[in-house]
Amino acid sequence: MGKVIAIDGPAGAGKGTLAKELAKKLGYVNIDTGATYRCVALEVLRKGISIDDTSKIIDISSNIKIDLLEDGTVLLNGEDVTKDIRSKDVTNIVSPISSIVKVRENMVNIQRNIALDKDVVMEGRDITTVVFPNAQYKFYLDASIDERARRRFEENKEKGINMTYEEVYNNIKDRDYNDMHKEVGALTRTDEQVYIDCTNMTVEEEIEIILKEINK
Ligand code: DC
């Protein structure tokens, strides 16, 4: 196993931007684990499967091929879905789908395989606890819900994703609850993580804290 910097935290905290910048700085590979759950959600939508049809969703997650390329491109069964997995419809159903235990098992296997023998920055909800509990460096990135909704709303605007601030806020609030109350892989704070409240921080300041920890 290579070196692992594991970052967990709630939706909209800025884990994606942080992980990308940090990986670039260190020459590590950045792995966005949320993208794997989003691929399952996209396939569920495309196949017209009901969100309650757990066994069909598990089937999809068992047979799906996901590639996360080093430039951030996400391939689902060979097709570039980088933009499609950020849609409002995917965002609305991804959290309940990621609560299905067998789906999580399948995605955790995919995530571990992608990281195999590489130095990685991996971000998600259960990286420090389930995917790589023995990671050398563990962080929990947090921010107030208002700030997270504001950041995600601005990001969506830039990406052309059409959601009102209220929609973004309510989606984050629902996902917070769901992500923190999963049977397996729930977002949790532990004593082993270094807690960073980035409500009033720039990405550069976050990186400085992380590098200080790593160089301790
Ligand atoms: O980070 P994100 O918003 O792209 O993640 C999408 C959903 O996937 C999120 O609501 C919870 C789930 N997820 C998870 O359960 N475990 C992870 N390691 C990453 C994401």
Side-chain angles (χ1 to χ4, degrees), residues 179-192:
D179 290 344
M180 287 173 189
H181 292 85
K182 281 174 186 152
E183 195 184 335
V184 172
L187 174 64
T188 348
R189 279 180 60 183
T190 70
D191 291 342
E192 292 180 357

Side-chain angles (χ1 to χ4, degrees), residues 12-14 141-144 147 151 196-202 206:
L141 190 71
D142 206 357
S144 72
E147 179 59 16
R151 287 181 193 174
I196 304 173
D197 180 346
C198 69
T199 307
N200 298 306
M201 275 185 202
T202 62
E206 296 165 15

Side-chain angles (χ1 to χ4, degrees), residues 6-19 123-125 128 138-144 148 151 187 189 193-199 201-203 205-207 209-210:
I7 306 173
D8 286 326
K15 301 184 298 294
T17 313
L18 169 65
E123 52 103 350
R125 305 292 188 288
T128 63
K138 300 182 188 181
F139 298 92
Y140 187 105
L141 190 71
D142 206 357
S144 72
R148 288 186 284 124
R151 287 181 193 174
L187 174 64
R189 279 180 60 183
Q193 301 153 340
V194 174
Y195 180 79
I196 304 173
D197 180 346
C198 69
T199 307
M201 275 185 202
T202 62
V203 180
E205 287 168 325
E206 296 165 15
I207 289 181
I209 292 176
I210 292 186

Side-chain angles (χ1 to χ4, degrees), residues 71-210:
D71 67 356
T73 303
V74 180
L75 299 181
L76 163 58
N77 299 326
E79 179 196 341
D80 183 348
V81 294
T82 316
K83 193 150 182 272
D84 299 342
I85 59 167
R86 306 280 154 203
S87 75
K88 179 162 127 182
D89 291 343
V90 167
T91 302
N92 279 337
I93 64 162
V94 64
S95 190
I97 285 178
S98 72
S99 301
I100 302 169
V101 174
K102 187 68 192 159
V103 170
R104 299 201 70 80
E105 264 176 38
N106 288 332
M107 292 308 107
V108 168
N109 280 335
I110 289 176
Q111 293 156 16
R112 287 183 182 144
N113 278 330
I114 296 172
L116 215 59
D117 298 327
K118 295 187 190 108
D119 292 333
V120 298
V121 180
M122 195 182 253
E123 52 103 350
R125 305 292 188 288
D126 61 341
I127 313 307
T128 63
T129 52
V130 176
V131 184
F132 284 119
N134 297 322
Q136 290 89 339
Y137 308 106
K138 300 182 188 181
F139 298 92
Y140 187 105
L141 190 71
D142 206 357
S144 72
I145 181 159
D146 295 285
E147 179 59 16
R148 288 186 284 124
R150 192 192 64 76
R151 287 181 193 174
R152 185 50 57 89
F153 176 67
E154 294 299 331
E155 200 181 302
N156 281 354
K157 261 206 299 199
E158 271 168 36
K159 288 183 178 160
I161 298 166
N162 209 2
M163 282 173 87
T164 64
Y165 176 82
E166 280 67 37
E167 279 177 319
V168 173
Y169 184 96
N170 288 329
N171 171 269
I172 286 187
K173 197 165 139 231
D174 290 348
R175 284 206 286 155
D176 276 0
Y177 183 85
N178 199 49
D179 290 344
M180 287 173 189
H181 292 85
K182 281 174 186 152
E183 195 184 335
V184 172
L187 174 64
T188 348
R189 279 180 60 183
T190 70
D191 291 342
E192 292 180 357
Q193 301 153 340
V194 174
Y195 180 79
I196 304 173
D197 180 346
C198 69
T199 307
N200 298 306
M201 275 185 202
T202 62
V203 180
E204 289 71 35
E205 287 168 325
E206 296 165 15
I207 289 181
E208 206 175 299
I209 292 176
I210 292 186

Side-chain angles (χ1 to χ4, degrees), residues 14-26:
K15 301 184 298 294
T17 313
L18 169 65
K20 199 165 112 192
E21 291 299 317
L22 188 64
K24 200 156 72 177
K25 204 165 201 125
L26 295 170

